Amino acid sequence: MRYLMMSKAGGQAPDERLFAEMGKFVEELTAAGVLLATGGLAPASIRVASVDGEITVTDGPFAEAKEAVAGFALVEVRSEAEVIELAKRFRRIVGDGEGYIQQVF
């Protein structure tokens, strides 16, 4: 089962401890074959919408910086419970904030 884990901006400002702990977490998940991809996302985005066949393209950002998705991880796990546990571990490392998990089909 593949899941996309997304994290909103927020939490503590990065420091050496955070980078070290996150580095260990990423190495562990990579070695276990769980982590497929990670990345940070720019705060700006482009909206492409279609209404009655009319397509519009609008430059962002569309949300306040604290509401924007700031990064993601694509993981492959055996169950929903496993991805929730990974998300909890991630949140313990980075501190306060909010994220989302969605299954990838």
Side-chain angles (χ1 to χ4, degrees):
M1 300 172 77
R2 289 183 178 191
Y3 288 90
L4 183 63
M5 299 169 49
M6 297 163 285
S7 180
K8 285 187 174 182
Q12 63 192 38
D15 60 14
E16 290 302 316
R17 182 201 60 79
L18 176 63
F19 285 123
E21 286 187 43
M22 188 56 66
K24 288 180 198 172
F25 186 57
V26 167
E27 285 179 21
E28 175 189 335
L29 298 184
T30 301
V34 171
L35 185 62
L36 304 178
T38 62
L41 301 173
S45 60
I46 300 168
R47 177 183 294 147
V48 180
S50 176
V51 177
D52 294 327
E54 179 82 23
I55 298 174
T56 58
V57 178
T58 310
D59 290 333
F62 301 103
E64 292 184 42
K66 66 181 180 180
E67 295 296 319
V69 174
F72 73 92
L74 180 62
V75 297
E76 188 162 17
V77 294
R78 293 178 296 277
S79 67
E80 183 179 286
E82 189 175 348
V83 75
I84 290 170
E85 190 56 38
L86 291 178
K88 287 179 179 180
R89 288 180 61 197
F90 171 81
R91 189 52 56 199
R92 285 185 195 107
I93 293 169
V94 300
D96 292 345
E98 182 178 321
Y100 302 95
I101 302 168
Q102 288 181 273
Q103 187 172 6
V104 176
F105 297 114

